[in-house]
Amino acid sequence: MNRRDFLKNSITVIAGLAVPLSALELISPRKLLANKGDESPVRWAFLVDTQACVGCGFCVKACKTENEIPHETNITRTWVERYVVTRKGKTYVDSPRGARDGFTTDRVDQGEEGYREVKAEEIEKAFFVPKLCNQCDNPACVQVCPVGATYQTPDGVVLVDRKHCIGCAYCIMACPYGVRSFNPAYKTAEKCTFCYHRISQGMKTACVDACPFGARKIGNLRDPDDPVTKTIMSGRVGVLKEQYGTKPQVYYLALSREVK
């Protein structure tokens, strides 16, 4: 484990110890469906169908274009991971350039270890998993920000105010999902915002618009007639790292146990 991973895990554990016991309850979409008092009538939720994703990378390209993220950098607000599980139980995961250009080879990119060839007869299953900010209902990144630059909107989206962010990177280390990065141009924290500038105007996110297979969808969890809400309420969905108590609002259909 390198220093960055150690710090990330340490702060995540500390943040987890600081949250109230109610935050450690299992995620309950139905609680967010209820509109209580003067709360916003909207609570954004994201739905990912891993069976529909083909790893084309169109979503990553669209995100970079929409959010003015340099095409050639390795910084991405969303990315796609490829999982290759062998019959012997070994799991290989890669995401070259965040899958910006899709997956152009059957060989698995293992970083410094180079490419690994996994023979077809050795593979038990292989699939793709899109990832992005989970817009947690109990976000650790908001808790650790010392200046309030990371905040949560009434409709549940976590944003970063670049005018107030001091670039301390506490939020980057606290996020258990590794979805935050450092913007070298603005010298501030960077992450997916569910394309808040679009969804607040009645549009879809850039990645949802770009996906040709419907693997990505966004909806209002407080609208019982929303197709996304209906799917989530069916109970057939899963979330990532539920044990951290952050209550993520990105839900996955057909989420395999190998996905971390």
Side-chain angles (χ1 to χ4, degrees):
M1 178 182 291
N2 59 33
R3 181 175 181 273
R4 183 178 183 279
D5 289 338
F6 174 79
L7 289 172
K8 175 181 173 182
N9 291 338
S10 298
I11 290 183
T12 300
V13 170
I14 293 171
L17 293 174
V19 300
L21 290 177
S22 60
L24 300 179
E25 296 175 355
L26 294 180
I27 186 69
S28 176
R30 295 192 180 278
K31 288 184 178 180
L32 291 174
L33 175 62
N35 182 13
K36 301 176 183 178
D38 59 352
E39 291 183 3
S40 169
V42 176
R43 204 322 174 179
W44 296 108
F46 208 92
L47 181 65
V48 176
D49 186 347
T50 61
Q51 292 182 319
C53 181
V54 300
C56 64
F58 290 176
C59 54
V60 181
K61 287 190 181 75
C63 177
K64 279 180 170 281
T65 300
E66 180 70 27
N67 296 290
E68 299 179 334
I69 300 171
H71 185 74
E72 293 303 321
T73 67
N74 282 325
I75 297 175
T76 59
R77 289 188 176 190
T78 185
W79 69 97
V80 180
E81 295 176 350
R82 173 173 57 178
Y83 285 74
V84 178
V85 183
T86 69
R87 298 184 186 279
K88 293 184 178 180
K90 178 68 176 177
T91 301
Y92 298 100
V93 186
D94 70 343
S95 182
R97 290 190 173 273
R100 181 198 70 189
D101 303 315
F103 295 84
T104 58
T105 175
D106 291 337
R107 295 181 301 163
V108 181
D109 187 352
Q110 296 293 277
E112 294 180 357
E113 298 179 12
Y115 288 88
R116 177 177 290 273
E117 193 83 44
V118 183
K119 297 179 180 179
E121 59 268 23
E122 297 176 353
I123 299 174
E124 176 70 27
K125 58 182 177 179
F127 52 91
F128 302 100
V129 180
K131 290 188 176 181
L132 64 161
C133 175
N134 284 268
Q135 306 298 351
C136 303
D137 193 47
N138 182 49
C141 56
V142 172
Q143 296 177 39
V144 301
C145 180
V147 294
T150 290
Y151 65 99
Q152 191 174 34
T153 65
D155 47 10
V157 179
V158 177
L159 302 175
V160 179
D161 188 337
R162 286 174 174 167
K163 293 182 294 185
H164 291 90
C165 180
I166 58 176
C168 66
Y170 286 175
C171 61
I172 296 175
M173 293 184 286
C175 176
Y177 304 100
V179 301
R180 284 175 169 256
S181 58
F182 189 75
N183 188 302
Y186 294 99
K187 295 181 172 54
T188 58
E190 173 82 34
K191 74 173 195 69
C192 160
T193 64
F194 272 11
C195 282
Y196 196 65
H197 59 290
R198 291 172 61 97
I199 61 175
S200 58
Q201 300 299 317
M203 304 167 65
K204 296 178 181 178
T205 68
C207 64
V208 169
D209 263 347
C211 181
F213 304 103
R216 292 170 174 252
K217 297 177 181 178
I218 190 167
N220 178 12
L221 202 54
R222 291 208 172 108
D223 178 2
D225 295 322
D226 190 308
V228 169
T229 301
K230 288 182 177 180
T231 300
I232 292 172
M233 293 304 160
S234 72
R236 296 182 294 113
V237 296
V239 295
L240 298 176
K241 301 183 179 180
E242 186 174 34
Q243 69 272 20
Y244 282 97
T246 57
K247 300 181 179 178
Q249 296 306 299
V250 173
Y251 298 86
Y252 288 85
L253 276 168
L255 185 63
S256 293
R257 59 182 176 81
E258 292 85 5
V259 181
K260 305 300 182 182

